[in-house]
Amino acid sequence: ECRKLATYVGQGNEATIEDIDAAIGDVASGLADTLAKAVADGRSEIALAQFDALVAAGQSPYVALAALNRHFQRLHQICAAIEAGKPAKATVSAFRPPLHFKLQDALLANARKWSEAGAAHALRQVDGAIRATRLTPNLEPQLAERLMLAIRPR
């Protein structure tokens, strides 16, 4: 990975965070994270575009569902902490393993649009979609898309 990064930035140049992401970042993970952030933001058109790119890259629709599950679990924790009077930033900083700074910023922005009850509801929707894909795996892409259209900030 270090050689790949060195080749990417060229001899004698310093690597930035963006260079590291571009050279060795996990493309599928990046698409899935962007998809989850877009869903939590209520931007379904972006989420659906990311989903199409994820599937076109050869990933299973389950990758998107897993990213949504992770994102809404974290968002639920943050919203619950805020409603309990705790600082959102401290809650995000306490996550283990630590989150990438871009993901921290996205979660904090999402938390401004969501309540604890709303995040819990979205998490139940995600769980329901995952359960449905296990019962009808041939409908996995359609169930994932329907979920992305159904979730709205509350």
Side-chain angles (χ1 to χ4, degrees):
E1 296 297 331
C2 289
R3 282 192 205 117
K4 190 188 314 183
L5 180 60
T7 301
Y8 181 81
V9 297
Q11 187 173 359
N13 293 323
E14 288 187 33
T16 66
I17 301 255
E18 289 77 19
D19 293 332
I20 294 168
D21 281 344
I24 60 176
D26 180 357
V27 173
S29 176
L31 289 170
D33 286 342
T34 302
L35 177 151
K37 290 182 280 190
V39 168
D41 254 349
R43 298 177 312 168
S44 55
E45 68 286 346
I46 293 171
L48 292 171
Q50 294 298 109
F51 179 72
D52 290 343
L54 192 70
V55 172
Q59 296 297 313
S60 163
Y62 183 77
V63 172
L65 294 172
L68 287 167
N69 192 39
R70 273 190 316 276
H71 193 82
F72 280 98
Q73 283 177 347
R74 292 170 178 155
L75 186 59
H76 181 256
Q77 285 180 284
I78 296 166
C79 292
I82 290 169
E83 290 180 21
K86 297 178 184 168
K89 197 163 186 129
T91 303
V92 171
S93 297
F95 284 137
R96 295 293 174 254
L99 302 177
H100 189 280
F101 72 92
K102 288 182 184 177
L103 186 53
Q104 287 183 22
D105 292 344
L107 280 165
L108 291 170
N110 289 155
R112 291 184 200 100
K113 295 182 177 184
W114 287 83
S115 67
E116 185 273 335
H121 178 73
L123 198 49
R124 285 191 300 275
Q125 288 177 285
V126 173
D127 289 341
I130 290 171
R131 193 170 30 262
T133 63
R134 290 183 182 144
L135 297 172
T136 53
N138 56 322
L139 294 178
E140 192 175 52
Q142 294 85 354
L143 290 166
E145 288 175 345
R146 188 163 91 188
L147 173 68
M148 288 181 261
L149 292 170
I151 294 177
R152 290 281 173 245
R154 312 168 162 223

